């Protein structure tokens, strides 16, 4: 009976961990913003870290790795969304019977609500539910810009998308969100083509 | 005399509402939108709703990662990536040499006859090859310190830039196999030195490493270097 001796932990493993550790919570935060689910955020970050490991030397050369990391995370997220779409587990745009039973799903009535009531009605849960119905690209630009406060010029690099496209995508995302929340409709002719 | 300002209609205001919220309008556009909002209750409501929505979006919490997630994720990534790298580095990689090295640590000091030549391993440049060291222990040994020193221009795959590795391991009685995926990045004629220490006893094995042409290294060589 032979024993297989294992080599010690490589230095690159220690380097990888010390280099990435300060950014994992940031990546988790973005992943959660993108996906809206703890388990999906964990999966996204985990898969990303596995992919990043062989690129340790590349990451080491980056003075400010976060925009680059955010870009790779975004690509990973879009891949995840497309994989799910292909495997027909697309959750966007569907309302399950569970949702119908949920009192939170009762969005405000069609008539415009008074301002105060509208503000009260914009519960976080409803907004989260509406965000979940945006497509991946819309959700990413909206959460990064409107929630995380990235400027569109910064997002050009992170999302690898031209500024004009980002503007119209953001515009569409907001409009869809407002529609999903049954807010007062904006004019129909405000469409901006992407 | 007051300056005449261009007035915006509802359609224009709606088009500019997001930019207004983002603070992206120039002073003239900003003033025109403000002026319209003051006199148009419908657009004012739209604006207030959009602003309220923005406020709710910004207040959406992100739960902190569960305790231990960061460390687990890093450790799992390291492990998975290293396993992949090991599989890649060993799949289809030629066996450069299999060397059986006798170990009798704790019983006696090194007694390899001086006249026995060191084994020689030939590597092809930039082609990873496995060198298998088999330490044959006369009895189980715990807490053996194993040190490897590599010659110039030779690396263990996955340990870039490391010329020395030292770690502790246990040896069982009989054969203890250590597979080293070695790669040469330049000409070398040095030695791979494996040093084992256990308590007051220690033993050193030397394997000559040389770089050669592909045809020279194509045949795996099996050598015995028992002490």
């Amino acid at each position: 009976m032979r024993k297989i001796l294992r080599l010690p932990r490589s230095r690159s493993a220690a380097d990888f961990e010390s280099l990435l550790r300060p950014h994992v919570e940031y990546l988790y935060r973005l992943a959660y913003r993108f996906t809206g689910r703890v388990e999906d955020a964990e999966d996204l970050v985990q898969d990303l870290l596995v992919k990043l490991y062989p690129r340790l030397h590349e990451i080491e050369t980056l003075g400010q790795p976060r925009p680059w990391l955010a870009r790779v995370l975004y690509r990973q997220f879009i891949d995840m969304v497309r994989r799910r779409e292909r495997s027909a587990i697309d959750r966007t745009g569907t309302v399950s019977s569970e949702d119908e039973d949920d009192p939170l799903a009762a969005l405000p009535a069609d008539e415009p609500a008074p301002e105060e009531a509208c503000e009260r009605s914009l519960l976080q849960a409803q907004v989260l539910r509406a965000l979940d119905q945006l497509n991946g690209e819309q959700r990413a630009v909206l959460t990064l810009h409107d929630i995380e406060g990235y400027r569109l010029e910064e997002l050009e690099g992170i999302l690898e998308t031209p500024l004009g496209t980002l503007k119209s995508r953001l515009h569409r995302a907001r409009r869809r969100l407002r529609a999903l929340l049954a807010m007062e409709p904006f004019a129909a002719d405000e469409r901006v083509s992407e | 005399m007051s300056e005449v300002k261009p007035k915006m209609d509802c359609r224009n205001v709606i088009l500019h509402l997001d930019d207004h919220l983002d603070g992206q309008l120039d002073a003239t556009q900003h003033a025109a939108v403000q002026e319209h909002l003051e006199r148009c209750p419908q657009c004012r409501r739209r604006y207030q709703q959009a602003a309220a929505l923005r406020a709710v979006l910004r207040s959406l919490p992100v739960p902190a990662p569960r305790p231990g997630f960061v460390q687990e994720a890093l450790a799992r990534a390291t492990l998975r990536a290293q396993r992949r790298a090991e599989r890649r580095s060993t799949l289809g990689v030629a066996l450069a040499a299999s060397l059986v090295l006798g170990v009798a640590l704790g019983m006696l000091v090194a007694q390899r006859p001086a006249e026995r030549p060191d084994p020689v391993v030939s590597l092809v440049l930039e082609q990873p090859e496995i060198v298998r060291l088999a330490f044959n222990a006369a009895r189980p040994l715990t807490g053996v310190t194993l040190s490897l020193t590599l010659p110039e221009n030779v690396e263990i795959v996955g340990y870039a830039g490391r010329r020395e590795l030292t770690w502790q391991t246990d040896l069982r009685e009989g054969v203890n196999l250590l597979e080293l995926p070695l790669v040469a990045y330049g000409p070398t004629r040095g030695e791979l030195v494996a040093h084992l220490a256990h308590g007051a006893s220690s033993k050193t094995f030397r394997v000559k490493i040389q770089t050669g042409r592909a045809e020279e290294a194509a045949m795996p060589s099996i050598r015995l270097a028992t002490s």
Side-chain angles (χ1 to χ4, degrees):
Chain A
M1 184 76 179
R2 288 173 163 182
K3 176 178 179 174
I4 306 295
L5 302 179
R6 292 198 71 83
L7 285 163
R9 236 165 102 76
S10 74
R11 189 184 62 179
S12 53
D15 287 349
F16 176 77
E17 293 192 15
S18 63
L19 189 66
L20 268 297
R21 188 184 304 280
H23 306 295
V24 177
E25 284 204 33
Y26 162 78
L27 291 169
Y28 176 86
R29 180 184 176 88
L30 290 189
Y32 183 81
R33 289 293 193 210
F34 289 162
T35 64
R37 289 174 181 78
V38 166
E39 56 273 29
D40 286 345
E42 288 192 358
D43 287 350
L44 204 54
V45 171
Q46 184 68 78
D47 291 348
L48 177 74
L49 290 174
V50 173
K51 285 197 173 168
L52 288 178
Y53 188 88
R55 302 176 73 173
L56 174 62
H57 298 301
E58 199 178 336
I59 304 167
E60 278 176 330
T61 63
L62 300 169
Q64 300 284 331
R66 287 202 175 180
W68 185 87
L69 292 170
R71 185 162 67 233
V72 185
L73 180 77
Y74 172 69
R75 281 189 210 148
Q76 185 90 2
F77 165 64
I78 292 298
D79 283 350
M80 184 183 89
V81 169
R82 288 180 183 156
R83 264 199 317 275
R84 288 184 176 179
E85 282 171 353
R86 278 199 297 272
S87 59
I89 312 174
D90 183 12
R91 296 168 309 209
T92 58
T94 58
V95 179
S96 69
S97 57
E98 191 186 357
D99 287 331
E100 284 161 5
D101 293 333
D102 185 342
L104 286 174
L107 293 168
D110 287 340
E111 68 273 14
E115 290 147 21
E116 300 80 10
C118 174
E119 278 189 67
R120 280 199 304 274
S121 73
L122 286 170
L123 294 171
Q124 289 177 340
Q126 288 175 336
V127 175
L128 283 172
R129 190 186 307 278
L131 274 176
D132 201 31
Q133 297 190 47
L134 300 183
N135 70 36
E137 289 172 337
Q138 288 176 340
R139 182 173 174 126
V141 71
L142 190 120
T143 54
L144 289 174
H145 183 272
D146 284 4
I147 303 180
E148 292 294 326
Y150 281 90
R151 289 180 295 110
L152 285 174
E153 291 76 12
E154 293 174 288
L155 294 182
E156 259 190 298
I158 292 174
L159 305 182
E160 295 175 301
T161 307
L163 190 62
T165 309
L166 280 183
K167 277 186 178 173
S168 53
R169 189 177 291 168
L170 180 62
H171 190 73
R172 282 162 179 265
R174 287 166 169 170
R175 196 178 57 199
R176 176 145 169 77
L177 200 62
R178 287 191 284 254
L180 287 164
L181 292 165
M183 293 171 71
E184 186 168 335
F186 277 38
D189 58 354
E190 65 165 323
R191 290 195 186 98
V192 179
S193 60
E194 186 168 326
Chain B
M1 203 173 104
S2 65
E3 189 187 339
V4 179
K5 291 176 186 167
K7 287 200 171 184
M8 275 199 187
D9 58 14
C10 290
R11 184 178 177 278
N12 264 321
V13 166
I14 287 166
L15 280 173
H16 287 93
L17 218 47
D18 281 340
D19 286 340
H20 186 61
L21 269 172
D22 292 339
Q24 296 284 310
L25 296 181
D26 63 32
T28 309
Q29 290 172 316
H30 177 83
V33 171
Q34 273 302 116
E35 185 274 331
H36 181 93
L37 292 178
E38 281 164 21
R39 64 183 162 81
C40 175
Q42 207 178 7
C43 283
R44 193 160 61 244
R45 183 156 51 235
R46 289 183 178 121
Y47 174 75
Q48 285 165 339
Q49 286 185 340
L53 175 58
R54 182 75 58 89
V56 174
L57 281 169
R58 294 214 164 135
S59 73
L60 288 177
V62 173
R66 63 180 165 73
F69 170 72
V70 173
Q71 185 50 43
E72 282 171 30
L74 285 166
R76 271 198 298 266
T78 303
L79 193 66
R80 279 195 219 166
Q82 284 188 334
R83 280 186 185 156
R84 270 189 208 173
E86 278 174 20
R87 275 200 301 276
R88 270 201 304 273
S89 69
T90 53
L91 273 176
V93 173
L95 181 68
S98 194
L99 310 170
V100 181
L101 310 170
V103 178
L105 287 165
M107 291 180 176
L108 70 167
V109 292
Q111 56 173 14
R112 190 166 64 80
E115 67 273 16
R116 184 172 297 174
D118 291 332
V120 181
V121 170
S122 198
L123 300 176
V124 177
L125 279 183
E126 296 187 359
Q127 186 174 303
E129 295 179 74
I130 303 285
V131 171
R132 192 183 283 159
L133 303 181
F135 299 106
N136 200 354
R139 65 175 178 83
L141 298 168
T142 55
V144 174
T145 302
L146 215 167
S147 302
L148 296 176
T149 308
L150 296 166
E152 197 180 0
N153 292 330
V154 175
E155 285 181 358
I156 300 172
V157 175
Y159 295 78
R162 295 290 296 272
R163 295 280 304 281
E164 288 187 17
L165 282 182
T166 298
W167 73 105
Q168 288 221 321
T169 188
D170 297 338
L171 300 185
R172 73 164 51 179
E173 183 181 337
V175 175
N176 298 263
L177 211 56
L178 179 64
E179 287 195 335
L180 298 176
L182 295 183
V183 61
Y185 289 108
T188 188
R189 282 202 172 273
E191 290 178 329
L192 162 68
V193 180
H195 182 82
L196 292 94
H198 183 254
S201 304
S202 67
K203 199 158 188 181
T204 302
F205 299 95
R206 295 175 191 281
V207 178
K208 285 190 175 160
I209 306 281
Q210 62 185 32
T211 45
R213 293 191 299 275
E215 58 270 27
E216 288 173 3
M219 290 296 292
S221 54
I222 310 291
R223 292 184 178 83
L224 295 178
T226 51
S227 55

